[in-house]
Amino acid sequence: MNSCISPASTMSTTVNVMADLVGKISELLSKDKATFSVGGSIPFAAGAGDDSAQHTTSAPVVLRWDPASALAGESRNVVFPQADAAVGQGAEQLAVLLRDCQPASFGRGGEDVFDEEYRKASKLDASAFSSSLCPYALGIVDTVAELLMPSAYMAGGSRGVKAELYKLNVYSAPSGHFKAHVDTPRSEQQFGSLVICLPTPHAGGALVVRHDGLTIRHDWGAGTSLNEGDAAPPALQWAAFYSDCEHEVLEVTAGHRVTLTYNLYSVPQRLQVAGKTEIMDVARLPLYDAVSSTLQNPLFLPEGGRVGYYCRHAYPHSASAPADAPLFPSILKGVDLTFYKVLEALRLETMVRQVLQEGGGMDYYDDDDEYSREDADVHPGVTISRVAKYASGTTFTSVGGHDSYTWDDIRNDYGRAYDVVWLNEALPATGQQGFAHLAYGNEAEIGTLYTYMAIIFKVDKWSDKELEKATA
Ligand SMILES: O=C(O)CCC(=O)C(=O)O
Ligand SMILES: [Fe+2]
C-alpha cells in the first residue's frame, strides 16, 4: 500500500467523481424510462450434441414469401443462416428476395411518402410473407415484457405483451438507411417496436435509439463476416424500444441488412381468453350443462338469490390495481376462469369480488355469531356474507378501537351484506389480509381480517308462469 497521503485536491476530485457516478446511477434508476431500449442476441443451434436445453438457441429460420409476379399459390423461400458452402447461392436468393420487395415508404404529415433522401429500403408487408421465427418461443417477448412493460400495467402482472409482425425490411449497400424518426403507433395499446435482424453479412446499418439525451446503439453488422476480425457465429440479433423514442438506421456500407419488425402492444393477459368466447366453446364444458340444468330446475332457489363460489387459486387481490387495468376478471385462471366463462355464457349477472372471512379474528371482542344465518327452514344453506365494493385493494375501518364493539360492528363496515348460497368453502391458502380495523389494547393497534376472492352470480326469482311451465 502506498503510504503517501493524496494531496487534498486529488481527494476532492475522487469524491466528486464518486458523487457524480453515484448520482448518475441513481438518476437513471429513478427515471421510469431509463431503460428505453433493450436488445440481445440468440445463437443458432449447432445441431447434434448441442446443449440447447441449457441456453436459448434458434433453429434455422425459414422465410417464405409470395412474389407479386408468381402464379397464385407459388411461394419462394430462403433459409437463414446460409451454410458457408451456399453463401454464393444465398446471395442469389437474397437478390431474388430483394427483387420481390417493394420500396419502403414512411409517414410524413399523415401521408405515406417515398423519399430516398430520408429512407432508402425495401419491404414486404406482413400479408406477403411468413417465417418460422417465433419471438415468443425464443423468449424475446417475455424479456420485453419484463424490461419494457409500462409500469402502470405492472400491478398484479395482469397484462402481457403481444408482438404483432409488421414488415420485412431490407436495407442494402450502398446507402440503405432510415433517418431519425419516431414510429407511428398503430393503436393506443402500442407501447413500442421490436426489430429482429436475420443473420446476413453486412457492415454499417447500426440502429441508433435515443431518449432523453441518452443513446443506445445496436450494431448488428459488426459480428458478421463482412467485418473480418470480429466475425462471430451467426445469431439472431434483436432490439426493442418505446414508441416515443427517436431512432434511425445508419447507412449500410456493405451487404444486405434484413430485419423483421413487430409492433408491441400491452394486452390484458388472460382476458385474451376471458374476453373472447369464440376461441373456446364454453357450452361444450360439463360445467356449463351442470349450471344450466340446475338453473332450469324450479326447486333451485325458487325465490331467487345469489350463489357464490370461492376461487381455488390465490390472487394478489389485497393489492390495488390501476382503474384502467383491473385485475379481475382478467387475472382469473384454471377452474376459476372456466366457471366465470360459463356464467358469462349463460348471461348471469356475475361479480368477482373479495368476500370477508366468516367470524372474527383474534379474541378481542364478543363473537355474537349473528353473521351466519343457519335458520335452515327459511333459508337453507344461506349465509350472510360481506362482499367488497371492489374486486381488489385493502379497505380500512376505524371501527373497533374499543371493547364495546363486537365483531359484527366491524364486519358491518365492510362492503355489502348479501345472502349467499355457497358452493364451496374458502381455501385458507387463498386468503389475504384485505380488511384492516382498529383494535384496542394498551396502545392503538390495527387488526386485520382475511378476504377471499369469490365469484357470485344472481339467480332470478321464478315467475308464476315460468314455474307453471317448468313443473307441467
Ligand atoms: O430495421 C430497423 O432496424 C428499424 C427500421 C425502422 O425504424 C422502422 O421500420 O420503423
Ligand atoms: Fe422506425
Side-chain angles (χ1 to χ4, degrees), residues 234-317:
L236 284 173
Q237 302 182 83
W238 62 273
F241 49 88
Y242 285 128
S243 295
D244 59 352
C245 293
E246 185 192 84
H247 55 284
E248 71 180 299
V249 179
L250 304 183
E251 261 189 40
V252 175
T253 53
H256 301 281
R257 173 189 186 275
V258 185
T259 56
L260 300 180
T261 61
Y262 297 77
N263 296 325
L264 297 171
Y265 302 95
S266 153
V267 290
Q269 212 161 31
R270 291 184 186 88
L271 205 63
Q272 283 177 318
V273 180
K276 293 181 191 164
T277 359
E278 68 267 24
I279 66 161
M280 180 175 84
D281 190 353
V282 178
R284 261 187 258 166
L285 298 168
L287 193 56
Y288 181 95
D289 278 342
V291 176
S292 109
S293 59
T294 304
L295 290 173
Q296 280 158 31
N297 187 332
L299 297 178
F300 182 73
L301 288 178
E303 296 298 311
R306 286 193 167 76
V307 181
Y309 159 86
Y310 285 107
C311 291
R312 306 323 284 159
H313 295 277
Y315 305 100
H317 66 256

Side-chain angles (χ1 to χ4, degrees), residues 154-240:
M154 297 278 270
S158 66
R159 301 202 48 112
V161 170
K162 181 173 99 176
E164 188 178 74
L165 184 60
Y166 185 54
K167 303 269 180 190
L168 172 127
N169 291 323
V170 187
Y171 294 81
S172 299
S175 74
H177 72 283
F178 195 170
K179 282 201 173 151
H181 67 283
V182 173
D183 290 345
T184 316
R186 303 285 137 183
S187 85
E188 275 199 0
Q189 307 295 313
Q190 186 177 350
F191 69 88
S193 301
L194 166 67
V195 186
I196 304 181
C197 187
L198 298 173
T200 56
H202 66 275
L207 170 67
V208 179
V209 188
R210 298 187 189 90
H211 179 77
D212 210 5
L214 301 168
T215 296
I216 295 180
R217 199 184 152 95
H218 305 279
D219 190 355
W220 300 319
T224 66
S225 59
L226 279 181
N227 294 262
E228 272 156 60
D230 57 2
L236 284 173
Q237 302 182 83
W238 62 273

